[in-house]
Amino acid sequence: PLFGVMAAKIFSYNSLTVRAGSFGLVALACQNILMRIFFFFATVGDALNQAAQTFLPGLLVMKDREVIETNVTAVENPARTLLKRLTVISCLSGLANCILGRLIARYAGGMFTSDANLIHLMAHISPFMGLALSLHPLTMALEGSIIAAKDAMYLVGTYGLTLAVLLAQLKFACKDFLGVWH
């Protein structure tokens, strides 16, 4: 199942780049630069995914054992506490990623290119990249919790549905390069 998830991610990112290329070389160059910025900040979300996969299974097993042995439900569930902490960390890091990613794409485009059209296009698309960066850590933390709960088939189904919606949107609703990031 996890191979299907990874394949869907790669196919999604590649589909975005192929569609961006259909709008010309400047759009393709902008897509490549924005994706590099995105992937740089995406490491934060990947770390949260791994944290959930590492710590949550033990807490889920411990919770089940405690409920069976004591029948006490008034105690705070440690798995729920971890998920709350991961959610807060994800939201804060998503906000930081959004701000920093947008600042780089909007004001530091000259670090990547000297083409004025490309720098302008990066600045124009930066709000949408910022939105993607703000959502990525939370999405990855929740994905890690689904994997930790051994519900990988649900995740595969979700990625399959999301991929189908993305491909339909790219084919039918994407009229310009801005639509790729919508």
Side-chain angles (χ1 to χ4, degrees):
L2 293 180
F3 172 78
V5 169
M6 295 308 294
K9 284 182 185 185
I10 292 168
F11 193 76
S12 296
Y13 292 133
N14 287 340
S15 297
L16 293 170
T17 301
V18 168
R19 185 64 175 140
S22 70
F23 297 114
L25 288 177
V26 173
L28 181 59
C30 184
Q31 174 71 11
N32 283 324
I33 293 170
L34 292 177
M35 288 303 291
R36 295 313 130 236
I37 296 169
F38 176 84
F39 286 135
F40 175 80
F41 288 104
T43 57
V44 175
D46 294 338
L48 291 167
N49 183 315
Q50 292 173 6
Q53 289 182 53
T54 302
F55 298 113
L56 199 54
L59 296 176
L60 291 172
V61 170
M62 184 176 69
K63 179 201 77 136
D64 292 340
R65 192 176 312 134
E66 286 176 0
V67 168
I68 290 170
E69 292 174 358
T70 62
N71 282 332
V72 176
T73 57
V75 179
E76 177 67 23
N77 182 343
R80 185 170 298 216
T81 301
L82 176 64
L83 284 175
K84 286 178 184 177
R85 288 179 181 170
L86 285 174
T87 301
V88 170
I89 293 168
S90 298
C91 292
L92 292 174
S93 61
L95 180 62
N97 284 352
C98 174
I99 292 168
L100 292 172
R102 280 201 64 201
L103 286 173
I104 291 170
R106 186 165 184 87
Y107 298 111
M111 290 183 350
F112 303 101
T113 183
S114 60
D115 186 329
N117 290 332
L118 184 52
I119 292 171
H120 176 73
L121 189 57
M122 286 173 56
H124 183 65
I125 303 295
S126 69
F128 297 101
M129 186 196 63
L131 178 62
L133 284 171
S134 69
L135 297 174
H136 187 263
L138 181 61
T139 303
M140 290 296 98
L142 294 175
E143 177 183 301
S145 66
I146 291 171
I147 293 170
K150 298 179 181 174
D151 200 5
M153 290 310 293
Y154 171 78
L155 193 61
V156 170
T158 303
Y159 267 95
L161 178 63
T162 303
L163 181 60
V165 170
L166 173 69
L167 294 175
Q169 182 178 350
L170 288 175
K171 182 164 178 72
F172 301 113
C174 185
K175 304 298 181 205
D176 58 3
F177 178 58
L178 185 63
V180 172
W181 281 87
H182 269 244

